[in-house]
Amino acid sequence: MEGKTLRPVVTVRLYTDRKCFGPGIAALLRRVERHRSLRAAAMDMGMAYSKAWSILREAEQGLGFKLLHTTTGGKNGGGAALTAEGARMLEAYERFEAELKAEAETLFTEHFSEFIKDIQE
Amino acid sequence: MEGKTLRPVVTVRLYTDRKCFGPGIAALLRRVERHRSLRAAAMDMGMAYSKAWSILREAEQGLGFKLLHTTTGGKNGGGAALTAEGARMLEAYERFEAELKAEAETLFTEHFSEFIKDIQE
């Protein structure tokens, strides 16, 4: 058998009455922060603008607060920026996700030592 | 705003060179253990038998060992049982998943206290 390494992949999503936050919206918001535009953020991810809008709308409706505020007009047809609550939400999600993934690595080594060894042999 | 509770949903998948283990195959194996049949296990999950077979094959190829052994013949056209390695893999996955989810609840409360409160108000 070729050397294959077994590894965990952990996905964290947040729900209220619906899915409202996860890796997709987090990546999108991080890019909005950089590009100051939802359209540019979507493009940077290879995501359709309409998809970005629908993810954002679902997230905001699920959370019950705005993640972005948009400014209309200007030479780029308006920009986008994270609301204060949106920025704190993104920070909280990223810290939560990073700490949980670190914990997953520890727990994985504990529970799967037999299989990590078997598969690599 | 109606009272909405924000909660985390954590998904754990295991990869080698491909996805090879996750909630779907775990649920399927647990039902094979109960029903002694892959077909009955799939039916119990509302999953097509062909889908169950393909999940199982992908998992076994990814892991490099058999999860089930089948017995041909008999009045039900053969049965299925977990291999010793398959049973240990399932146990390890379920313990890993349960411990990580418990840790997720703790970390979630730490990082999202502001939002849990906001959304419930």
Side-chain angles (χ1 to χ4, degrees):
Chain A
M1 194 192 311
E2 72 273 37
K4 293 200 280 190
T5 305
L6 191 66
R7 64 192 163 85
V9 174
V10 175
T11 310
V12 185
R13 297 183 183 86
L14 305 179
Y15 282 70
T16 52
D17 56 339
R18 72 191 78 189
K19 188 175 104 173
C20 54
F21 214 90
I25 182 82
L28 188 67
L29 293 181
R30 192 51 84 196
R31 282 168 178 77
V32 169
E33 209 169 47
R34 189 185 313 147
H35 297 294
R36 297 256 146 204
S37 152
L38 183 62
R39 189 180 293 279
M43 195 178 294
D44 192 10
M45 290 178 74
M47 179 186 281
Y49 185 51
S50 59
K51 172 79 173 168
W53 254 118
S54 80
I55 286 178
L56 178 67
R57 191 179 50 232
E58 275 295 297
E60 290 181 338
Q61 287 177 354
L63 292 168
F65 58 80
K66 287 283 185 187
L67 293 166
L68 291 190
H69 56 81
T70 53
T71 54
T72 52
K75 65 174 180 170
N76 297 314
L82 272 66
T83 61
E85 224 166 4
R88 289 200 304 275
M89 184 76 198
L90 178 59
E91 284 294 327
Y93 176 81
E94 288 181 342
R95 285 196 306 266
F96 174 54
E97 186 191 40
E99 289 179 25
L100 192 65
K101 286 184 173 181
E103 184 61 28
E105 292 298 328
T106 306
L107 288 174
F108 179 74
T109 307
E110 280 174 39
H111 289 296
F112 287 91
S113 54
E114 170 195 5
F115 295 101
I116 299 169
K117 184 168 153 287
D118 275 5
I119 292 170
Q120 285 178 331
E121 266 166 2
Chain B
M1 193 191 311
E2 73 273 38
K4 294 199 280 191
T5 306
L6 191 66
R7 64 192 163 84
V9 174
V10 175
T11 310
V12 185
R13 297 184 182 85
L14 305 179
Y15 283 71
T16 51
D17 56 339
R18 70 190 81 188
K19 188 174 104 172
C20 54
F21 215 89
I25 182 82
L28 187 67
L29 293 181
R30 192 53 81 195
R31 282 167 178 77
V32 169
E33 210 169 47
R34 189 186 313 148
H35 297 294
R36 297 256 146 206
S37 152
L38 183 62
R39 189 179 294 277
M43 195 178 294
D44 192 8
M45 292 178 71
M47 180 187 280
Y49 184 50
S50 59
K51 173 78 174 169
W53 254 117
S54 80
I55 287 178
L56 178 67
R57 191 180 49 232
E58 275 296 298
E60 290 181 338
Q61 287 178 353
L63 292 167
F65 58 81
K66 287 285 186 187
L67 293 167
L68 292 189
H69 56 80
T70 54
T71 55
T72 54
K75 65 173 179 169
N76 297 315
L82 272 66
T83 61
E85 225 167 2
R88 290 199 304 274
M89 184 77 196
L90 178 59
E91 284 293 328
Y93 176 81
E94 287 180 342
R95 285 195 307 266
F96 174 54
E97 187 191 38
E99 289 180 24
L100 192 64
K101 285 184 173 181
E103 183 61 28
E105 292 298 328
T106 306
L107 288 174
F108 179 74
T109 307
E110 282 174 35
H111 289 296
F112 287 91
S113 54
E114 168 194 7
F115 297 101
I116 299 170
K117 184 169 152 287
D118 275 5
I119 291 170
Q120 285 179 330
E121 269 167 2

